[in-house]
Amino acid sequence: MAVNEPAPPRRPRPSRRAAVAARIPRGYSPALHLAAPTALGALVLAAAAWLLDAVEAVELLAVPATLLLAFAFEWWAHRSVLHRRAPLLGVLCERHEREHHLAFTADDMALRSARELWLVLTPPYSALLVLALLLPLAAGAALLLSRDAALLGLATAMAFFVGYEWLHLAYHLPAESPVYRVPGLARLREHHRRHHDPRLMKRWNFNVTVPVFDIVHGTRWSPPPRTGA
């Protein structure tokens, strides 16, 4: 009579987050990933400041104008590219929804290791790509407006990109992190945390930095206030 041998124990399936984290390249350097765009942004700011010459008051309007355009682009790109499969850009949606949103959920936002910066920051080449896109725009602005206005716009756009990276990183730090002593930062994190709810991510809270165009377009979501019994 054959004796049935016990089946070998099943290996537990890795969590979705662990499965996503397993795709991070072995030689990945979190410090370099964060330092490189920051250094490039600082270099562009320093170069623009050095090249400025006799800035007129009206040219200073390039700073708020560029910021407004940056908030608008951030909202549009997050909504229409990162959460919708646009032609030729589907890989960006795939990376965002199948990696970033799977790894970080509304009730589990915090980084567990520095290596998970790979899942928070934009791809390592992004800063160079952003600069390559901005330079011809700045050249056009110099022809249409003025050289100093173009330099101010270029510097503001790069500062926005670096600020985006650092703010997004801050939102994925533990809730008890001392960075949340910075006024307003906890509220911005909460705005972004709600976006990480799968039920909300395709419709609400697309601005990552400041929810300017979420307010403009009516896509800013917050829970209704509780009413007393």
Side-chain angles (χ1 to χ4, degrees):
M1 181 177 178
V3 178
N4 293 328
E5 295 183 359
R10 293 182 178 181
R11 293 182 180 179
R13 290 184 178 182
S15 67
R16 291 184 302 176
R17 184 164 182 165
V20 172
R23 305 174 197 166
I24 300 172
R26 288 195 176 189
Y28 172 63
S29 171
L32 183 60
H33 193 174
L34 183 60
T38 303
L40 181 61
L43 180 63
V44 172
L45 284 172
W50 183 67
L51 291 170
L52 288 173
D53 180 33
V55 178
E56 297 181 5
V58 69
E59 292 173 325
L60 293 174
L61 292 175
V63 174
T66 302
L67 278 177
L68 192 64
L69 289 171
F71 291 136
F73 179 79
E74 174 192 63
W75 182 92
W76 172 82
H78 197 171
R79 175 180 178 270
S80 302
V81 176
L82 299 185
H83 285 290
R84 296 184 182 181
R85 294 187 178 278
L88 304 179
L89 298 174
V91 65
L92 298 177
C93 177
E94 182 73 16
R95 187 180 193 277
H96 187 70
E97 288 196 348
R98 302 297 297 175
E99 292 188 3
H100 183 63
H101 274 269
L102 279 182
F104 302 102
T105 58
D107 56 356
D108 190 9
M109 288 280 288
L111 291 158
R112 295 178 186 170
S113 72
R115 282 180 57 79
E116 288 188 339
L117 277 181
W118 175 269
L119 305 172
V120 173
L121 302 179
T122 58
Y125 55 81
S126 297
L128 285 172
L129 179 60
V130 167
L131 181 58
L133 292 173
L134 288 175
L135 286 174
L137 293 176
L143 292 173
L144 293 173
L145 302 172
S146 71
R147 178 172 173 270
D148 283 344
L151 288 169
L152 288 169
L154 175 63
T156 303
M158 282 303 295
F160 177 88
F161 174 77
V162 174
Y164 171 97
E165 294 283 70
W166 279 92
L167 275 175
H168 195 197
L169 167 59
Y171 303 155
H172 288 280
L173 294 177
E176 63 275 12
S177 172
V179 301
Y180 294 116
R181 297 173 188 167
V182 176
L185 192 56
R187 292 186 66 182
L188 291 175
R189 180 187 190 270
E190 181 61 16
H191 175 84
H192 186 63
R193 187 192 70 80
R194 291 166 183 164
H195 172 74
H196 273 261
D197 186 327
R199 300 167 297 179
L200 305 176
M201 68 179 186
K202 287 184 177 291
R203 293 185 58 193
W204 306 100
N205 295 15
F206 296 111
N207 275 125
V208 176
T209 52
V210 182
V212 175
F213 278 83
D214 277 319
I215 295 172
V216 170
H217 291 288
T219 56
R220 186 182 186 187
W221 186 91
S222 57
R226 295 181 180 180
T227 57

PDB file of all heavy atoms in Angstrom, residues 5-11:
ATOM      1  N   GLU A   5       2.987  10.782   0.536  1.00  0.00           N
ATOM      2  CA  GLU A   5       3.921  11.692   1.189  1.00  0.00           C
ATOM      3  C   GLU A   5       3.316  13.083   1.263  1.00  0.00           C
ATOM      4  O   GLU A   5       2.589  13.503   0.353  1.00  0.00           O
ATOM      5  CB  GLU A   5       5.225  11.758   0.396  1.00  0.00           C
ATOM      6  CG  GLU A   5       5.967  10.437   0.373  1.00  0.00           C
ATOM      7  CD  GLU A   5       7.279  10.563  -0.359  1.00  0.00           C
ATOM      8  OE1 GLU A   5       7.565  11.688  -0.845  1.00  0.00           O
ATOM      9  OE2 GLU A   5       8.005   9.571  -0.450  1.00  0.00           O
ATOM     10  N   PRO A   6       3.595  13.750   2.346  1.00  0.00           N
ATOM     11  CA  PRO A   6       3.039  15.113   2.457  1.00  0.00           C
ATOM     12  C   PRO A   6       3.604  16.015   1.365  1.00  0.00           C
ATOM     13  O   PRO A   6       4.766  15.927   0.994  1.00  0.00           O
ATOM     14  CB  PRO A   6       3.493  15.565   3.848  1.00  0.00           C
ATOM     15  CG  PRO A   6       4.689  14.727   4.156  1.00  0.00           C
ATOM     16  CD  PRO A   6       4.430  13.388   3.489  1.00  0.00           C
ATOM     17  N   ALA A   7       2.737  16.843   0.844  1.00  0.00           N
ATOM     18  CA  ALA A   7       3.165  17.779  -0.195  1.00  0.00           C
ATOM     19  C   ALA A   7       4.137  18.792   0.388  1.00  0.00           C
ATOM     20  O   ALA A   7       4.011  19.186   1.557  1.00  0.00           O
ATOM     21  CB  ALA A   7       1.943  18.491  -0.769  1.00  0.00           C
ATOM     22  N   PRO A   8       5.145  19.191  -0.381  1.00  0.00           N
ATOM     23  CA  PRO A   8       6.085  20.199   0.134  1.00  0.00           C
ATOM     24  C   PRO A   8       5.362  21.507   0.405  1.00  0.00           C
ATOM     25  O   PRO A   8       4.395  21.859  -0.274  1.00  0.00           O
ATOM     26  CB  PRO A   8       7.096  20.363  -1.015  1.00  0.00           C
ATOM     27  CG  PRO A   8       6.369  19.883  -2.234  1.00  0.00           C
ATOM     28  CD  PRO A   8       5.435  18.807  -1.765  1.00  0.00           C
ATOM     29  N   PRO A   9       5.801  22.205   1.432  1.00  0.00           N
ATOM     30  CA  PRO A   9       5.121  23.471   1.770  1.00  0.00           C
ATOM     31  C   PRO A   9       5.231  24.478   0.633  1.00  0.00           C
ATOM     32  O   PRO A   9       6.265  24.583  -0.040  1.00  0.00           O
ATOM     33  CB  PRO A   9       5.873  23.953   3.006  1.00  0.00           C
ATOM     34  CG  PRO A   9       7.207  23.273   2.949  1.00  0.00           C
ATOM     35  CD  PRO A   9       6.957  21.940   2.298  1.00  0.00           C
ATOM     36  N   ARG A  10       4.164  25.183   0.390  1.00  0.00           N
ATOM     37  CA  ARG A  10       4.162  26.205  -0.653  1.00  0.00           C
ATOM     38  C   ARG A  10       4.905  27.445  -0.184  1.00  0.00           C
ATOM     39  O   ARG A  10       4.763  27.869   0.961  1.00  0.00           O
ATOM     40  CB  ARG A  10       2.736  26.591  -1.031  1.00  0.00           C
ATOM     41  CG  ARG A  10       1.966  25.479  -1.716  1.00  0.00           C
ATOM     42  CD  ARG A  10       0.586  25.979  -2.106  1.00  0.00           C
ATOM     43  NE  ARG A  10      -0.178  24.958  -2.808  1.00  0.00           N
ATOM     44  CZ  ARG A  10      -1.415  25.158  -3.271  1.00  0.00           C
ATOM     45  NH1 ARG A  10      -2.015  26.340  -3.101  1.00  0.00           N
ATOM     46  NH2 ARG A  10      -2.057  24.179  -3.882  1.00  0.00           N
ATOM     47  N   ARG A  11       5.683  27.981  -1.099  1.00  0.00           N
ATOM     48  CA  ARG A  11       6.353  29.239  -0.782  1.00  0.00           C
ATOM     49  C   ARG A  11       5.348  30.376  -0.829  1.00  0.00           C
ATOM     50  O   ARG A  11       4.553  30.467  -1.780  1.00  0.00           O
ATOM     51  CB  ARG A  11       7.474  29.519  -1.787  1.00  0.00           C
ATOM     52  CG  ARG A  11       8.626  28.533  -1.707  1.00  0.00           C
ATOM     53  CD  ARG A  11       9.696  28.914  -2.709  1.00  0.00           C
ATOM     54  NE  ARG A  11      10.824  27.995  -2.667  1.00  0.00           N
ATOM     55  CZ  ARG A  11      11.878  28.092  -3.459  1.00  0.00           C
ATOM     56  NH1 ARG A  11      11.936  29.069  -4.363  1.00  0.00           N
ATOM     57  NH2 ARG A  11      12.877  27.220  -3.355  1.00  0.00           N
TER      58      ARG A  11
END
